[in-house]
Amino acid sequence: MTTPPLAPYPATRLRRLRQADWTRRLVRETTLTPSDLIWSMVVHEGEGVIPVASMPGVERLSVKDAAKAAVRARDLGIPAIAIFPHIDGARKDATGSIAADPDGVIPRAVKAMKDAAPEVGIMCDVALDPFTDHGHDGVVEGGRILNDPTIERLIEQGLMQAEAGADILAPSDMMDGRIGKLRAALEGANFQDTMIMSYAAKYASAFYGPYRDAIGSAKLSAGPNGQGLGDKKTYQMDPANTEEAIREVALDIAEGADMVMVKPGLPYLDILRRLVDEFRMPTYAFQVSGEYAMIKAAGMNGWIDEERAILESLTAFKRAGAAGIITYFAPWAAEKLG
């Protein structure tokens, strides 16, 4: 698009439109509302709420408290909640065998939340890492993540979540071909209306640390259980790559994803903008735990204005083209924006 020529100063004074709050609101190009937010939430198997030390203000919620949170989300105008499990370490194993347990904390939370606030969409993470004792997202053998056997486990998990009432399944594992296999399984099991939001461009990032604290994920093991895998770089994307993100997203869309996601958020706004321009698909950004923790820590130390920084960061996602933002700040932001 060609920018029309501007009259020279003083005929053009760009500050005229900034001189008062009402004029700034009148010409504002990007508007953030509660409808742009997906509340990222951790649920645990016990009772009550448990603070997450590395994420001040975030708590692990019991199933009962998650149901109350769904009602709060409805009242705040937040359209959807993304839930993640905290699993007792004693119940984990090398294969994540309880990931598809129909009586597990995730299906119980989904049912309770949908009963309490059926108007609120529930999104479930499809991944094995909260359930494995080595902390990886897949089946490990001989120092490798096995792609196809992992997909088989993910399909079992996803079908269980759909049966429990999840509205959106969000595979975060980054295995090749998992979207097509999951979509076919959903169609075959008569879950044609269940949506898939693919973690299509998920990078091997340093910004996930506090999340692993929140869900109690095992530190990535390079020992006997991890079988030599000390990081997730063989399946999550290299932070240096852009073209690879285009290929990943194109494949997931072709396989049946309804929505796609970029993760992390702020360090990858360029990726977000390019994907929006390239595919014109509903594209979401995940403001991950490390982003949350940095803003909270700087705010608590008085180094930045925390409230302004939160809203500025969320607006940045919307300005870059995000259809919505998955964020731990959702309830606070919705109250401010409402």
Side-chain angles (χ1 to χ4, degrees):
M1 184 175 67
T2 302
T3 302
L6 299 177
Y9 171 88
T12 295
R13 293 178 182 265
L14 295 179
R15 288 183 57 196
R16 290 190 192 111
L17 299 178
R18 305 176 198 151
Q19 62 184 298
D21 177 67
W22 70 266
T23 60
R24 292 191 296 272
R25 287 188 289 119
L26 196 63
V27 301
R28 187 161 292 150
E29 299 170 25
T30 303
T31 302
L32 184 71
T33 75
S35 294
D36 297 312
L37 306 174
I38 297 175
W39 184 354
S40 182
M41 180 186 300
V42 178
V43 295
H44 72 100
E45 300 172 291
E47 299 297 323
V49 298
I50 302 173
V52 178
S54 58
M55 299 178 70
V58 171
E59 299 168 323
R60 301 175 191 140
L61 304 183
S62 68
V63 169
K64 184 182 297 184
D65 290 302
K68 294 177 183 177
V71 173
R72 185 184 178 199
R74 180 195 64 198
D75 294 344
L76 288 171
I78 297 172
I81 297 173
I83 58 172
F84 302 87
H86 177 278
I87 304 298
D88 184 344
R91 286 165 38 78
K92 300 181 181 184
D93 58 29
T95 62
S97 59
I98 64 169
D101 181 2
D103 298 316
V105 66
I106 287 296
R108 288 190 288 113
V110 171
K111 291 171 184 175
M113 296 166 82
K114 293 304 289 187
D115 285 344
E119 309 92 336
V120 176
I122 304 299
M123 183 167 86
C124 288
D125 185 52
V126 184
L128 299 182
D129 58 316
F131 305 94
T132 58
D133 58 8
H134 47 69
H136 282 286
D137 297 52
V139 177
V140 182
E141 184 178 292
R144 296 176 62 243
I145 300 291
L146 301 183
N147 194 90
D148 294 0
T150 296
I151 292 175
E152 293 177 11
R153 302 296 319 286
L154 297 174
I155 289 172
E156 295 173 2
Q157 182 185 28
L159 289 176
M160 175 274 293
Q161 294 169 346
E163 183 68 37
D167 301 289
I168 304 172
L169 303 186
S172 64
D173 55 287
M174 291 300 288
M175 297 297 114
D176 292 332
R178 88 272 202 220
I179 300 301
K181 295 285 189 181
L182 181 58
R183 172 57 71 205
L186 290 170
E187 291 288 327
N190 205 31
F191 291 116
Q192 295 92 341
D193 294 334
T194 302
M195 292 166 276
I196 296 177
M197 181 190 292
S198 170
Y199 284 65
K202 181 180 180 181
Y203 286 83
S205 172
F207 288 92
Y208 302 147
Y211 167 77
R212 291 169 183 157
D213 179 25
I215 67 165
S217 179
K219 184 177 180 181
L220 294 177
S221 172
N225 286 336
Q227 299 180 21
L229 281 168
D231 57 50
K232 299 190 176 187
K233 293 178 181 178
T234 68
Y235 48 103
Q236 295 178 358
M237 288 178 52
D238 187 332
N241 292 353
T242 300
E243 298 300 327
E244 184 182 15
I246 301 298
R247 296 194 295 273
E248 287 280 4
V249 172
L251 285 169
D252 285 0
I253 293 171
E255 291 176 17
D258 302 287
M259 299 167 277
V260 295
M261 183 201 303
V262 176
K263 183 181 182 183
L266 284 178
Y268 296 89
L269 289 180
D270 60 320
I271 306 299
L272 172 63
R273 180 71 256 172
R274 185 165 178 197
L275 294 178
V276 170
D277 290 341
E278 189 86 17
F279 297 107
R280 304 294 178 182
M281 282 282 289
T283 305
Y284 294 77
F286 199 140
Q287 186 178 47
V288 299
S289 60
E291 298 172 66
Y292 174 94
M294 288 192 301
I295 292 174
K296 291 294 291 187
M300 292 169 66
N301 279 283
W303 297 333
I304 61 172
D305 183 325
E306 180 181 315
E307 293 192 3
R308 287 183 61 191
I310 293 169
L311 293 176
E312 185 176 339
S313 67
L314 295 173
T315 300
F317 296 120
K318 189 76 182 296
R319 190 186 66 239
I325 307 107
I326 303 111
T327 177
Y328 299 92
F329 288 123
W332 178 90
E335 287 184 346
K336 287 291 181 181
L337 297 169

